[in-house]
Amino acid sequence: MPRTSFEDLNCSIARSLDALGDGWTMLILRDAFFGVRRFADFERDLGISKNVLAARLRALVEHGILERVDEGVHGERFEYVLTPKGEALLPVLTALREWGDRWVFGEGHEPYVVRERTTGKRPDPLVVRGADGRALTRRDLRGEAGPGADETTRQRFGRRRAAKA
Amino acid sequence: MPRTSFEDLNCSIARSLDALGDGWTMLILRDAFFGVRRFADFERDLGISKNVLAARLRALVEHGILERVDEGVHGERFEYVLTPKGEALLPVLTALREWGDRWVFGEGHEPYVVRERTTGKRPDPLVVRGADGRALTRRDLRGEAGPGADETTRQRFGRRRAAKA
DNA sequence: CAGTATCCTCGCAGATACTG
DNA sequence: CAGTATCTGCGAGGATACTG
């Protein structure tokens, strides 16, 4: 049996990993917290292939973490927005980021600070702020500008294999 | 390319997932926080095969999250204990567990409460307490007793495939 | 007990072409 | 734009036998 499912274990960690354990899922959620909503934007930001992205998004929708909203504007336009269940994952992402800031990166790394912007309306994205307090734009997140900007994009090529275990 | 490595991304979340993104790793760490230390115990508690467990433990040691300690008692005896870097992952596990308690499990689930027992000496395990405050033993964790006991063990058989995405 | 060595399988993931 | 459909393959993960 290739990949074991933990859904029958009476353990919150194991069950959570059933929904989040995939390698891409947490990065998709990270982008979702950064305000990414559209299929093509996830695709470009993450450098993930269409079919894999479609499968992961579908699974997240089925788990009730994302919601697929039809923005019936001219032409087909769908958006994937975090549900309350999805937004509740912010502490997980935050803990992960803080650990990485402290233990994986060196001291020189300027961490992002993610703060909720509770305007009430759920589809509103969160505000992503750099260490200087400046709110970052989508362009910053694409690695085109900004302090310690995220270079998620443009990584479609030049990837490296993980250290073979 | 099968599995993408995120080690060249300037993002703490992505980099963290490079060390933790594996499906088994978080559960191994969960057990480590529960005081599991020996190869055979991880093997039995998780129902993981020897080669996979060996690979995951080796990777965790290489990442500096676990340390392989030779307990040179009669016969070969090694223990895998959390390093400071590994213990720093407690907030991540906690956030994951709390999310699962709230959103994956229903209201009826009695969550575990994990508290640090800082006796100073690092090899000391953490204390795992049930919702009633009683400290849980290894037997509890094996699903043989205790309130809402973890049934990680005995799951070697009867696993289910994850919902095919 | 704590692994290593082998073999096998099936799913994740990548690439590409196609559709409404 | 937002996917589906199809093909391919690599390697994580499982099972088992063997070793100091």
Side-chain angles (χ1 to χ4, degrees):
Chain A
M1 295 141 197
R3 186 65 184 85
T4 306
S5 169
F6 305 123
E7 65 181 286
D8 49 354
L9 298 186
N10 183 25
C11 171
S12 293
I13 294 175
R15 297 278 297 258
S16 299
L17 289 175
D18 242 1
L20 310 171
D22 179 83
W24 281 115
T25 302
M26 295 294 264
L27 289 184
I28 291 173
L29 289 173
R30 181 202 62 165
D31 269 20
F33 276 107
F34 284 171
V36 176
R37 295 180 179 184
R38 306 227 313 266
F39 189 94
D41 290 332
F42 283 111
E43 187 185 359
R44 182 177 39 245
D45 283 349
L46 297 173
I48 188 176
S49 54
K50 287 171 174 290
N51 42 8
V52 176
L53 175 59
R56 298 275 75 78
L57 288 175
R58 194 183 317 125
L60 284 168
V61 169
E62 284 171 0
H63 276 106
I65 294 170
L66 292 180
E67 186 185 354
R68 188 173 188 266
V69 179
D70 187 341
E71 304 288 329
V73 219
H74 39 70
E76 277 149 345
R77 167 70 64 93
F78 302 98
E79 297 196 341
Y80 293 89
V81 297
L82 290 162
T83 64
K85 179 176 178 178
E87 291 196 343
L89 283 166
L90 184 60
V92 177
L93 272 295
T94 300
L96 218 43
R97 182 182 53 74
E98 287 176 345
W99 183 79
D101 284 337
R102 169 74 177 81
W103 294 97
V104 181
F105 277 95
E107 295 299 321
H109 182 248
E110 292 279 343
Y112 281 143
V113 179
V114 182
R115 296 209 188 93
E116 279 195 74
R117 181 179 66 162
T118 27
T119 63
K121 310 170 117 173
R122 240 228 291 105
D124 278 338
L126 304 184
V127 172
V128 183
R129 296 182 183 279
D132 57 357
R134 187 173 66 86
L136 301 180
T137 67
R138 281 286 300 284
R139 288 188 73 251
D140 295 326
L141 298 177
R142 298 280 189 78
E144 299 161 2
D150 194 299
E151 292 180 352
T152 302
T153 330
R154 310 293 114 74
Q155 298 289 352
R156 291 205 63 153
F157 310 95
R159 298 215 195 102
R160 290 196 42 205
R161 284 281 316 110
K164 61 178 190 301
Chain B
M1 296 141 193
R3 186 62 184 84
T4 306
S5 169
F6 304 122
E7 64 180 287
D8 50 354
L9 298 185
N10 182 27
C11 170
S12 293
I13 294 175
R15 298 278 298 257
S16 299
L17 289 174
D18 243 358
L20 310 171
D22 181 82
W24 281 115
T25 301
M26 295 295 264
L27 289 183
I28 291 173
L29 291 172
R30 182 203 61 165
D31 269 21
F33 276 107
F34 282 171
V36 176
R37 294 180 179 184
R38 306 226 314 267
F39 189 94
D41 290 332
F42 283 111
E43 186 184 0
R44 182 177 40 245
D45 283 350
L46 297 174
I48 189 177
S49 54
K50 287 172 174 289
N51 42 8
V52 176
L53 176 59
R56 297 274 75 77
L57 289 175
R58 194 182 318 124
L60 283 168
V61 169
E62 284 171 0
H63 276 105
I65 293 170
L66 292 181
E67 186 184 354
R68 189 174 188 265
V69 179
D70 187 341
E71 304 287 328
V73 218
H74 40 70
E76 277 150 346
R77 167 71 63 91
F78 302 97
E79 296 195 342
Y80 293 88
V81 296
L82 289 162
T83 64
K85 179 176 178 179
E87 291 195 343
L89 283 166
L90 185 59
V92 177
L93 272 296
T94 300
L96 220 42
R97 181 183 53 73
E98 288 177 345
W99 182 80
D101 284 338
R102 170 73 178 80
W103 293 98
V104 181
F105 278 95
E107 296 299 320
H109 182 249
E110 292 279 343
Y112 281 143
V113 180
V114 182
R115 298 211 186 90
E116 278 195 77
R117 181 178 67 160
T118 27
T119 64
K121 310 169 117 173
R122 240 227 293 105
D124 279 337
L126 303 184
V127 172
V128 182
R129 296 183 183 278
D132 57 355
R134 186 173 68 85
L136 301 179
T137 68
R138 281 287 298 285
R139 289 187 73 251
D140 296 325
L141 298 178
R142 297 281 188 78
E144 297 161 3
D150 194 298
E151 292 181 353
T152 303
T153 331
R154 308 297 113 72
Q155 297 290 351
R156 292 207 61 154
F157 310 95
R159 299 215 196 100
R160 292 195 41 206
R161 284 282 314 108
K164 60 177 190 303

